[in-house]
Amino acid sequence: MLQPPRRARRPFPWHIVVFLAPAVLIYTAVMIYPILASLWLSLQTQVEGGAERFAGLANYRRLLGSELYAQPLWNAVRNNLVFFAIHMLVQNPVGLLLAVLLSFRLRGAALYRTLLFTPTVLSVVIIGFAWKLILNPAWGVQRGLLEPLGLQALDQPWLGLPGSALPTLSLISVWQNIGIPMLLFLAALVRIPDELYEAARLDGAGGWRIFRSIQLPLILPTVGIVSVLTFVGNFNAFDLIYSVQGALAGPNFASDILGTLFYRTFFGYQLQSGDEYMGAAVAGVMLGIILTGLLLYLAAVQRRLTEVEL
């Protein structure tokens, strides 16, 4: 009886390993190792004599259970959620609106696109200092801009009031970063074939009907990506609030978010010394929140989008 011929085993693709190895090594050195080292530090503590010992989850229990750390932590988480919600409700819809307008190939669209993206490439320190100059109630230019328009009621110390400091900082961040979602949405919109627009117009569809039935469904994956980038960026935010309000994120910690809480906990502030182990625990909580959000997105949104595409 004749035996069926054996299939020749394909050689292992070593060339793929060679091409990927530099990127994997660099990514591991600058991303994976610092994250693992920070998590390991959060599980350590210091005993008398300066020696370190393994403490398990003691730092996390102290962070969530002690009066010194728990109240600032929940305040920072709450403020971070507000910071993220304002970006989702203002930055991304306005970015999408601007992208739709620019996709119509208006005259001067390249100039508008450049002007809208310019704040994104500026230094956060410059942005923070400029807005402090504008909004300062004593010597800022805010009053001079509002009085000719009859808007004296809006001449308020927006960065100095507990109820308005965080929304004001969020809107400054929106103004600076709105160019990123705008460009991502615009890149998705220009890939839509012109034949779809022409067919819709022949059927009598107006601008709103074209957006709702053609543009929005086809850019939903980009909407998901922009939402994830907004979530990760907001829960890693630090620089703008630090440059405007300092490490104390005033007034009375009204604009304190997880990034500034981590800075104060790790490095200390005023007369309170820093605690690197508790700071690493705050960083661990930030990582846990971001990973939870990403897993929820992958399970609830990305999976559904994949099913629709299939």
Side-chain angles (χ1 to χ4, degrees):
M1 184 175 179
L2 295 175
Q3 295 291 332
R6 290 185 178 181
R7 289 185 177 179
R9 182 176 294 180
R10 299 178 62 181
F12 186 81
W14 287 107
H15 63 284
I16 296 179
V17 177
V18 171
F19 281 114
L20 289 179
V24 171
L25 291 176
I26 293 174
Y27 186 80
T28 302
V30 302
M31 293 295 293
I32 303 298
Y33 174 73
I35 291 175
L36 295 178
S38 176
L39 291 176
W40 177 249
L41 185 63
S42 70
L43 302 176
Q44 305 290 311
T45 190
Q46 195 171 42
V47 297
E48 293 184 4
E52 285 186 348
R53 70 170 176 82
F54 183 72
L57 298 176
N59 290 332
Y60 290 96
R61 287 196 294 269
R62 188 182 173 198
L63 182 65
L64 298 173
S66 71
E67 185 178 355
L68 177 62
Y69 291 106
Q71 194 277 333
L73 175 68
W74 292 119
N75 176 62
V77 171
R78 185 168 53 251
N79 288 340
N80 240 140
L81 289 173
V82 173
F83 195 70
F84 168 64
I86 291 176
H87 280 77
M88 283 296 292
L89 296 175
V90 179
Q91 174 184 280
N92 295 345
V94 174
L96 177 58
L97 174 63
L98 294 172
V100 171
L101 293 176
L102 291 174
S103 69
F104 290 142
R105 298 181 178 87
L106 302 173
R107 178 178 296 180
L111 176 63
Y112 299 144
R113 190 167 58 242
T114 303
L115 292 175
L116 291 169
F117 195 76
T118 298
T120 306
V121 301
L122 294 179
S123 165
V124 177
V125 177
I126 294 176
I127 295 292
F129 184 68
W131 278 101
K132 286 186 75 172
L133 289 176
I134 294 172
L135 299 177
N136 190 291
W139 37 267
V141 299
Q142 169 184 256
R143 184 169 302 169
L145 295 174
L146 293 176
E147 282 185 351
L149 301 175
L151 300 174
Q152 294 89 340
L154 297 178
D155 184 21
Q156 301 291 333
W158 299 107
L159 294 173
L161 299 174
S164 61
L166 183 61
T168 303
L169 288 165
S170 303
L171 293 176
I172 293 174
S173 176
V174 166
W175 172 81
Q176 182 189 10
N177 297 305
I178 200 168
I180 297 174
M182 181 194 72
L183 284 187
L184 292 174
F185 289 137
L186 183 60
L189 288 170
V190 298
R191 290 200 304 266
I192 298 176
D194 291 337
E195 291 80 5
L196 294 179
Y197 295 121
E198 294 171 2
R201 292 191 184 98
L202 288 175
D203 290 339
W208 170 247
R209 181 69 184 277
I210 291 175
F211 172 76
R212 191 183 62 180
S213 302
I214 296 177
Q215 291 178 316
L216 186 59
L218 292 178
I219 65 169
L220 274 182
T222 304
V223 173
I225 292 173
V226 170
S227 302
V228 169
L229 293 176
T230 305
F231 178 77
V232 174
N234 288 169
F235 277 87
N236 278 324
F238 165 75
D239 42 11
L240 177 64
I241 291 182
Y242 179 77
S243 64
V244 176
Q245 304 289 64
L248 292 178
N252 195 24
F253 303 107
S255 55
D256 194 21
I257 59 175
L258 288 169
T260 48
L261 174 64
F262 162 76
Y263 181 88
R264 290 198 312 277
T265 307
F266 196 98
F267 297 104
Y269 65 101
Q270 294 181 344
L271 298 179
Q272 181 171 334
S273 59
D275 187 331
E276 57 184 308
Y277 306 103
M278 294 304 297
V282 174
V285 171
M286 294 171 66
L287 178 64
I289 292 174
I290 291 173
L291 289 179
T292 302
L294 290 178
L295 290 175
L296 289 175
Y297 166 77
L298 292 174
V301 179
Q302 187 63 39
R303 184 178 176 185
R304 187 168 301 176
L305 290 176
T306 305
E307 291 175 355
V308 171
E309 290 177 355
L310 291 176

